[in-house]
């Protein structure tokens, strides 16, 4: 889901060097399908315990994180942190270091050592602070997540991000709404790798048609559709609300009395 650079302390967080490039702006994809709801007993903020789909409210919602739920500071803040243009930054970064970090193949120390192709030193803690300061919910997303939680939908992060995802959690408490169940740094795979999607389905123990996946990257949505998952290309919160409603997903918000 999900795009940034270094994020913060040895804790998980989402993004990738391949995500550094401009995101596609194609028209949102959605399927006009309706799901018959069933009773849910899922705790949205805790890892899923495998259970039969008949005991859960369907569909299950899978969300990319960066630039789908949470603003990615890389595009706005990081080049300035390094005193570079985006082009300069992309030209001098190591071609695979961030991807390796995102997949959990290297740790933070190794990332800092090889992030730049020439091996130059930089203020890693300062970069983490820069990224953390830039994390915020995408406009309109937190109320939508609240509405989905109030309607008892089971929701999971499905994101490309390193262990620094914990920086996002520490600041925004995303686990109030969904579980950090599927992160590339934990699973060792990245979207749009088909094996990542099939592992998600195996873990959830549901048919792909009973899952809806939302991502701001077209190629990740297309990969979901290829395995039978319903895909939505995220553009903004209003369009997402419309698309979820067309699928029969209840986004009614309940105000506490």
């Amino acid at each position: 889901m999900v795009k940034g650079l270094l994020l913060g302390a040895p804790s998980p967080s989402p993004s990738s060097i391949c995500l550094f490039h401009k995101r596609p702006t194609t028209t949102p994809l959605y399927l006009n399908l309706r799901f018959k709801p069933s009773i849910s007993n899922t705790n949205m903020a805790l890892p899923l315990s495998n259970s039969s789909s008949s005991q859960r409210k369907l569909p299950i919602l899978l969300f990319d994180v960066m630039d789908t739920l949470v603003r990615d500071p890389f595009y706005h803040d990081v080049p300035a942190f390094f005193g570079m243009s985006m082009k300069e930054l992309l030209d001098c970064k190591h071609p695979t270091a961030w991807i390796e970090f995102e997949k959990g193949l290297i740790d933070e120390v190794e990332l800092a050592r090889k992030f730049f192709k020439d091996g130059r030193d930089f203020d890693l803690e300062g970069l983490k602070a820069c990224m953390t300061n830039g994390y915020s919910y995408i406009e309109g997303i937190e109320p939508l997540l609240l509405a989905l939680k109030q309607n008892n939908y089971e929701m999971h992060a499905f994101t490309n991000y390193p262990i620094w995802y914990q920086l996002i959690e520490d600041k925004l408490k995303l686990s109030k709404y969904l579980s950090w169940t599927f992160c590339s740094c934990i699973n060792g795979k990245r979207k749009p790798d088909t094996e990542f999607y099939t592992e998600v389905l195996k873990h959830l123990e549901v048919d792909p048609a009973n899952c809806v996946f939302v991502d701001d990257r077209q190629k990740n949505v297309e990969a979901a559709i290829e395995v039978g998952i319903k895909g939505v290309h995220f553009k903004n919160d209003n369009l997402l609300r419309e698309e979820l409603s067309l699928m029969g997903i209840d986004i009614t918000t309940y105000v506490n009395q």
Side-chain angles (χ1 to χ4, degrees), residues 15-18 20 90 92-106 110-111 114-117 190:
S15 197
S16 107
I17 277 187
C18 74
F20 290 171
L90 295 177
C92 65
K93 71 176 178 61
H94 190 282
T96 63
W98 181 262
I99 294 174
E100 293 168 14
F101 187 41
E102 224 172 42
K103 294 174 74 173
L105 300 177
I106 62 174
E110 181 68 6
L111 175 71
K114 65 187 293 188
F115 180 75
F116 286 108
K117 288 187 288 190
R190 297 175 67 256

Side-chain angles (χ1 to χ4, degrees), residues 26-35 59 61 209 211-215 217-218 220-222 224-225 228-249:
T26 50
T27 303
L29 296 178
Y30 61 85
L31 298 178
N32 187 5
L33 299 175
R34 294 188 174 273
F35 299 88
L61 304 178
C211 292
V212 173
F213 172 59
V214 182
D215 197 307
R217 287 182 168 264
Q218 180 77 46
N220 294 339
V221 174
E222 291 172 351
I225 293 171
I229 296 171
K230 308 302 181 285
V232 177
H233 183 200
F234 176 78
K235 299 295 294 181
N236 60 56
D237 68 299
N238 288 327
L239 286 174
L240 179 57
R241 285 175 176 271
E242 291 176 12
E243 292 158 7
L244 294 179
S245 294
L246 285 171
M247 291 181 171
I249 296 171

Side-chain angles (χ1 to χ4, degrees), residues 139-230:
E139 183 178 0
I141 284 298
E142 189 170 17
L144 175 57
L145 291 176
L146 176 60
L148 292 168
K149 179 178 180 180
Q150 288 178 335
N151 284 287
N152 298 317
Y153 287 101
E154 180 180 323
M155 295 183 283
H156 301 270
F158 181 21
T159 184
N160 293 344
Y161 220 61
I163 192 159
W164 290 344
Y165 77 77
Q166 290 180 349
L167 297 176
I168 299 173
E169 172 61 21
D170 290 344
K171 182 176 183 181
L172 301 181
K173 304 297 186 288
L174 193 57
S175 64
K176 290 185 298 183
Y177 308 111
L178 52 71
S179 298
W180 288 97
T181 316
F182 307 110
C183 295
S184 59
C185 62
I186 297 171
N187 295 77
K189 296 179 177 63
R190 297 175 67 256
K191 300 170 297 184
D193 182 347
T194 301
E195 289 187 11
F196 199 1
Y197 295 80
T198 56
E199 284 188 6
V200 168
L201 294 171
K202 182 177 180 180
H203 179 90
L204 293 174
E205 296 184 336
V206 292
D207 292 333
N210 287 326
C211 292
V212 173
F213 172 59
V214 182
D215 197 307
D216 68 303
R217 287 182 168 264
Q218 180 77 46
K219 64 181 181 180
N220 294 339
V221 174
E222 291 172 351
I225 293 171
E226 287 177 6
V227 300
I229 296 171
K230 308 302 181 285

